[in-house]
Amino acid sequence: MSSTLRLAVIGGDGIGPEVVATALDVLESAATATGCQYEKTSFPFSAAHFLETGHILDDADVAELRKFDAILLGAVGGLPNDPRLAGGVIEKGILLKLRFELDQYINLRPVSLYPGIETPLANKTSADINFVCVRENTEDLYCGIGGFVRKGTPHEVSNQTMVATRFGAERCIRYAFELAKTRERKHLTLVHKTNVLTFAGDTWYRAFQEVAEEYPEVTTDYHHVDACCMFMVSRPEVYDVIVVPNMFGDIITDLGAAIAGGMGIASSGNLNPDGAAPSMFEPVHGSAPDIAGKNLANPIATIDSLGLLMRETGRIQGDTAAVTCGEQIGVAVKKVTPQFAGKSLDRSGFGTDAIGKMVIDSL
Ligand code: NAI
Ligand code: MG
């Protein structure tokens, strides 16, 4: 089946609009080649837009975005330490607001070493670094529960509460088992810190054990988060699918990005896998104000995120043309990465538009 996929596009700040424009050029070619139908609408939400108009993203904007099948986001955020953006106004006002309001409860981050890309790990190859992190995206320390007492005095107290619900843990764990089931190795590792976080960790551990009984074909393991950091460096081949709560997931996925070649290649999806609201796909990197407007940004992470968008949205909608289009984009990226051999991914000397053209040529 094929339908017209409605895509909301938020270019954002800095290099965001550049890498998004390049990725959309790739989509245009891939969609034409695969007979995939889509239409796109742009939205201005960004730090720059906020500084210009005072508007961040309100409930009416969220309602408008709900009408789309998926969202592609470049990156949002201004110069570091800009006092006008203090207090995480953009992160909370755009990124976290969308993740929470659209109930994007899975943050999916593939960690895969592509051909030609250098890993900082000695003697490790693409065969060793090939796993997916499933990070819970709506709970944990990110709920914003906490506060100050006696702020600004020598007796200042602050706390920030880790929240784990059985519902939130279980739906994330279930998604991870479903994903593991489709993979060749069918192996799922829970990462937590159950020896210290004896309440939140216990809720996760019991949910994991119970859901595991429904998936006898998936082998399971458990690692403490500190051990996971060590294994990701020393023995990344032990991982196939990792399921992890929000805060630990934030940290280990950056480590994952580093072992797979860095920010220039790290893609991600904030998923509402049930399709009740649109999912949002974005490169892991930020707006890189230091190189904005110079045609220096590597668009690969955004192109790959867009491939993931097409595959995921196509799967939810039952749109096989979109799935094929997304697969073609993924294959084309892997054909291009050998050209980065011996070069830095972020400072390759290829322009943003030239890299886009390389992907289009290999489609
Ligand atoms: P960053 O990822 O924007 O940049 C870190 C370094 O990596 C810089 O040297 C940059 O030039 C380089 N870099 C990043 N992406 C690149 C690409 N595609 N090609 C080549 N080089 C690339 O992180 P930073 O500097 O900490 O943050 C800059 C702004 O981005 C801040 O306002 C931050 O809040 C925001 N940010 C937004 C995110 C999002 O929208 N999801 C995620 C991370 C940061
Ligand atoms: Mg992060």
Side-chain angles (χ1 to χ4, degrees), residues 324-348:
T324 309
C325 177
E327 282 167 353
Q328 297 285 319
I329 292 173
V331 170
V333 165
K334 283 191 189 165
K335 277 201 231 157
V336 162
T337 54
Q339 298 183 50
F340 287 86
K343 293 184 192 297
S344 141
L345 200 54
D346 287 353
R347 302 290 182 266
S348 61

Side-chain angles (χ1 to χ4, degrees), residues 60-113:
D61 297 324
V62 177
E64 182 60 26
L65 288 169
R66 265 184 203 283
K67 297 177 189 158
F68 290 82
D69 295 318
I71 303 166
L72 177 67
L73 176 89
V76 290
L79 288 169
N81 305 319
D82 184 335
R84 298 169 302 171
L85 302 172
V89 60
I90 296 301
E91 289 80 358
K92 284 186 196 156
I94 300 179
L95 293 173
L96 291 179
K97 187 174 172 79
L98 285 174
R99 287 179 190 177
F100 279 72
E101 299 262 338
L102 301 177
D103 200 21
Q104 294 163 343
Y105 63 86
I106 299 293
N107 187 245
L108 190 71
R109 292 204 189 172
V111 177
S112 194
L113 182 65

Side-chain angles (χ1 to χ4, degrees), residues 15 19 73-79 91 95 263-264 282-291 296-299 346-347:
I15 63 170
V19 291
L73 176 89
V76 290
L79 288 169
E91 289 80 358
L95 293 173
M263 288 298 177
E282 52 172 329
V284 172
H285 65 71
S287 58
D290 53 334
I291 57 165
L296 287 175
N298 189 329
D346 287 353
R347 302 290 182 266

